[in-house]
Amino acid sequence: MYPKSLTSIPLGLLISTAAAETIHGAVVFSRHGDRTTKWYGSQTLTSLGAEQNFQIGSDYRSRYLESGSDFQIRGISEHEYKPSQIFASAPDQGILMNTATAFLQGLYPPLADLDPEIASQTLNNGSKSRAPLDGYQYVRLHAVSDNSPDTIWIKGDDSCPEYATASKSFLDSDIFHERDEATRDFYASFYDVLSDGVYNLKPEDMTYENAYSIFDLVNVARIHNSTSATRRVSDEDLLQLRTLADSAELGQNWNDSQPARAIGAEALSGAVLAQLNETVASRGELKFSLFAGSYDTFLAFFGLAGLLELDDNFHGLPDYASTMAFELFTEGDAADEFPSNLDEDLRVRWLFRNGTFGELETFPIFGLSEDSMSWSKFVSEMGERAITDVGDWCTKCGATEDFCAAYADDGDDASAEAETSGKGGMSNTVAGAIACDRLTI
Ligand SMILES: *[C@@H]1O[C@H](CO)[C@@H](O)[C@H](O)[C@H]1NC(C)=O
Ligand SMILES: *[C@@H]1O[C@H](CO)[C@@H](O)[C@H](O)[C@H]1NC(C)=O
Ligand SMILES: *[C@@H]1O[C@H](CO)[C@@H](O)[C@H](O)[C@H]1NC(C)=O
Ligand SMILES: *[C@@H]1O[C@H](CO)[C@@H](O)[C@H](O)[C@H]1NC(C)=O
Ligand SMILES: *[C@@H]1O[C@H](CO)[C@@H](O)[C@H](O)[C@H]1NC(C)=O
């Protein structure tokens, strides 16, 4: 298969893709697509949003699964979903579960169109059977509930008191006060436009403290509500609202001198490391992992990975359905099999695609100058930043989740014992009172 815009690709690039490489595995983290506003809570993916996540899933299919692709993952099943090759997980919230589902529908579409042979089975009495919806493939998706220790990996900033405190302290910073002062009139000017459609909005809500909510209300209404007065908001003002929201959200999810604001990204880093490590440990058996999560984790990761210094664009919120990918690969047309010299032959690179429009692009991370690094370098760089164990998260967060009790440090013997028992089953149902942090999705 040829790249879509073959003619616009410089010759050098064509030559360099000829020196092929082998991809062994990838981990993708995706934001949800278009959704209803989060002002009222319980936001849901819209049909447009599902379409976006589906499109992104199809595009990753083109990259990692299709046999003509230069980036096809070695040995991956092109058409038929094989459970041992794929891992997918999302928090047990409708919008993120649906995000992952739509992505997976694009990754492994119904079989009837791909391979009619395997789409149907012949029974012993000679009749044929085919799965519903043209051979729809049921890709397994792990829903992680709030009271499972695994909840920390994708949304490690939820129910984390240290994060909440650090994040809120942005409101005490000089820069917050400056912006708040400077934008009072600007925000007040949107009250009429919004109060018309948002019944519980008060004049005092119209400040920089609600930068994201105000941007979100205007943005969502402009996309979906044909009678809303927000349609009168100019593109210029919308951009200003967005830029202010960018700065407020980044402020709450990153501060060089306050690591607790990036706990969500530290936990996600641990999850990515574990998935890629599993690919290595299984010598390429696990091939592709998907997590669906939130923009706050993206922003915190941009800070943690040194991307904010690399490119100002990383100061902005990633668009709906944005994805980041970690690829494990071998240079040269090496391998029919998994490399045995891990350090020499395995490399990792990081890629980002902004929403559905942009290209998937590689960026150097961790302040390195190269676009990729050796596996061992990756393990040590990620290791420095990642939370790799639930007990660690509980301690860093000062968390009071039930599952943290199993990791509490009551002296050496007790904690060693607790660690082992905590790894296994989950504790009782959570007694109603999960601190409900702002859901930043
Ligand atoms: C063949 O077997 C299946 C399963 O028992 C049944 O549903 C189907 O009606 C049978 N077909 C014929 C032609 O007997
Ligand atoms: C970043 O953290 C430092 C140290 O806690 C604090 O003094 C500063 O105000 C914070 N900056 C912002 C923008 O939150
Ligand atoms: C759309 O806007 C109108 C006018 O502002 C408002 O009355 C209505 O509630 C809005 N609809 C939705 C779904 O928000
Ligand atoms: C990586 O895999 C090895 C072998 O299974 C295991 O011993 C190690 O703990 C894993 N490391 C991480 C960070 O998951
Ligand atoms: C993604 O797109 C948004 C809006 O289009 C922009 O504000 C942001 O800076 C972009 N991020 C990156 C990393 O390109």
Side-chain angles (χ1 to χ4, degrees), residues 242 246 313-314 316-317 319 352 354:
R242 176 195 265 278
D246 288 345
N313 281 323
F314 286 108
L317 290 158
D319 276 338
F352 176 72
N354 202 352

Short mmCIF file of all heavy atoms in Angstrom, two decimals, residues 242 246 313-314 316-317 319 352 354, ligand 5:
data_model
loop_
_atom_site.label_atom_id
_atom_site.label_comp_id
_atom_site.label_asym_id
_atom_site.label_seq_id
_atom_site.Cartn_x
_atom_site.Cartn_y
_atom_site.Cartn_z
N ARG A 242 -10.12 28.86 24.28
CA ARG A 242 -9.39 27.61 24.26
C ARG A 242 -7.98 27.78 24.84
O ARG A 242 -7.52 26.97 25.63
CB ARG A 242 -9.28 27.07 22.83
CG ARG A 242 -8.44 25.81 22.74
CD ARG A 242 -8.05 25.52 21.30
NE ARG A 242 -8.93 24.58 20.64
CZ ARG A 242 -8.84 23.26 20.78
NH1 ARG A 242 -7.94 22.72 21.56
NH2 ARG A 242 -9.66 22.47 20.13
N ASP A 246 -6.40 25.94 27.90
CA ASP A 246 -5.12 25.21 27.80
C ASP A 246 -4.23 25.54 29.00
O ASP A 246 -3.70 24.65 29.66
CB ASP A 246 -4.33 25.65 26.55
CG ASP A 246 -4.94 25.15 25.24
OD1 ASP A 246 -5.79 24.24 25.28
OD2 ASP A 246 -4.54 25.67 24.17
N ASN A 313 3.36 23.59 21.04
CA ASN A 313 2.05 22.99 20.81
C ASN A 313 1.63 22.04 21.93
O ASN A 313 0.45 21.81 22.16
CB ASN A 313 2.03 22.23 19.50
CG ASN A 313 1.87 23.16 18.32
OD1 ASN A 313 1.15 24.16 18.42
ND2 ASN A 313 2.55 22.87 17.23
N PHE A 314 2.63 21.48 22.61
CA PHE A 314 2.28 20.56 23.70
C PHE A 314 1.71 21.28 24.92
O PHE A 314 1.23 20.64 25.84
CB PHE A 314 3.48 19.68 24.08
CG PHE A 314 3.75 18.61 23.05
CD1 PHE A 314 4.84 18.68 22.21
CD2 PHE A 314 2.86 17.55 22.92
CE1 PHE A 314 5.06 17.71 21.24
CE2 PHE A 314 3.08 16.57 21.96
CZ PHE A 314 4.18 16.65 21.12
N GLY A 316 -0.89 22.96 24.60
CA GLY A 316 -2.33 23.00 24.32
C GLY A 316 -3.01 21.66 24.59
O GLY A 316 -2.37 20.61 24.54
N LEU A 317 -4.29 21.72 24.88
CA LEU A 317 -5.06 20.50 25.08
C LEU A 317 -5.07 19.67 23.80
O LEU A 317 -5.28 20.22 22.72
CB LEU A 317 -6.52 20.86 25.42
CG LEU A 317 -6.76 21.50 26.78
CD1 LEU A 317 -8.06 22.28 26.77
CD2 LEU A 317 -6.78 20.43 27.85
N ASP A 319 -6.67 17.51 21.00
CA ASP A 319 -8.04 17.48 20.48
C ASP A 319 -8.74 16.16 20.82
O ASP A 319 -8.09 15.18 21.19
CB ASP A 319 -8.01 17.65 18.96
CG ASP A 319 -7.94 19.12 18.57
OD1 ASP A 319 -8.31 19.98 19.40
OD2 ASP A 319 -7.51 19.41 17.44
N PHE A 352 2.74 10.92 18.47
CA PHE A 352 1.52 11.61 18.88
C PHE A 352 0.72 12.00 17.64
O PHE A 352 1.28 12.41 16.63
CB PHE A 352 1.88 12.87 19.68
CG PHE A 352 0.68 13.70 20.08
CD1 PHE A 352 -0.20 13.24 21.06
CD2 PHE A 352 0.42 14.92 19.46
CE1 PHE A 352 -1.32 13.99 21.41
CE2 PHE A 352 -0.70 15.68 19.81
CZ PHE A 352 -1.56 15.21 20.80
N ASN A 354 -2.65 14.43 16.85
CA ASN A 354 -3.57 15.38 17.46
C ASN A 354 -4.95 15.25 16.84
O ASN A 354 -5.21 15.76 15.76
CB ASN A 354 -3.01 16.79 17.24
CG ASN A 354 -3.56 17.78 18.24
OD1 ASN A 354 -4.47 17.45 19.01
ND2 ASN A 354 -3.04 18.99 18.22
C1 LIG B 5 -3.44 20.03 19.15
O1 LIG B 5 -4.41 20.84 18.56
C2 LIG B 5 -4.88 21.90 19.41
C3 LIG B 5 -6.00 22.64 18.71
O2 LIG B 5 -6.08 22.42 17.41
C4 LIG B 5 -3.72 22.80 19.75
O3 LIG B 5 -4.15 23.84 20.59
C5 LIG B 5 -2.62 22.00 20.42
O4 LIG B 5 -1.52 22.82 20.69
C6 LIG B 5 -2.21 20.84 19.53
N1 LIG B 5 -1.22 20.00 20.23
C7 LIG B 5 -0.12 19.53 19.65
C8 LIG B 5 0.83 18.75 20.47
O5 LIG B 5 0.10 19.71 18.45
#
